[in-house]
Amino acid sequence: MVPGPAGGWLSACSLSGPASPSPPPPAPRRGEPAPPPPSLHEQRDVLREHFGLAVALHGEDLAGRSMRKFAIKYARLHPEPLTVRDAFVAVKVNADWQAVLGRFYAVDGPGRDPSTDVDETADCAESA
């Protein structure tokens, strides 16, 4: 808050001008079908870019380790999610990362929709 006219107070929001419009809700909430999952080449391109940004920010050693957690999430979109996840878990350096991309993302194909996956950690207490 900052002092305003006539002894009142203004918030930082009121100083920045009108609020920008919110983005539209996702397609399913608008009653439209969800877009298809990204193709394998689209996934590969994002994985490469994400790893490159992590290397630029943290260096190769830390990027290789820190990107594993993200790669596990990305693997859910691959047609072989568990195999790809396990391959990413073993990644330590850029060469390992590139080897996984070369092995599992070289041939383009459709991605998979992970929305029907069973969350094995949800509501464990309910079954007891």
Side-chain angles (χ1 to χ4, degrees):
M1 302 289 278
V2 295
W9 292 93
L10 296 173
S11 71
C13 294
S14 63
L15 296 175
S16 63
S20 58
S22 298
R29 289 195 6 222
R30 293 191 312 259
E32 301 169 10
S39 73
L40 294 181
H41 280 177
E42 290 170 326
Q43 293 175 47
R44 178 199 61 199
D45 295 345
V46 170
L47 285 160
R48 277 191 181 143
E49 180 179 4
H50 196 165
F51 189 83
L53 291 169
V55 168
L57 186 63
H58 302 294
E60 186 174 328
D61 289 341
L62 182 57
R65 291 190 309 268
S66 68
M67 283 300 297
R68 283 187 295 222
K69 66 181 174 186
F70 297 111
I72 289 167
K73 303 282 187 193
Y74 284 116
R76 295 179 65 218
L77 298 170
H78 194 280
E80 298 178 53
L82 299 179
T83 305
V84 173
R85 179 202 63 196
D86 292 345
F88 276 127
V89 166
V91 166
K92 302 252 188 304
V93 295
N94 188 20
D96 299 338
W97 187 266
Q98 298 306 323
V100 172
L101 295 182
R103 180 173 176 199
F104 295 105
Y105 294 90
V107 177
D108 200 10
R112 68 180 285 277
D113 179 3
S115 66
T116 59
D117 289 353
V118 174
D119 182 356
E120 296 174 358
T121 63
D123 303 322
C124 293
E126 287 183 18
S127 63

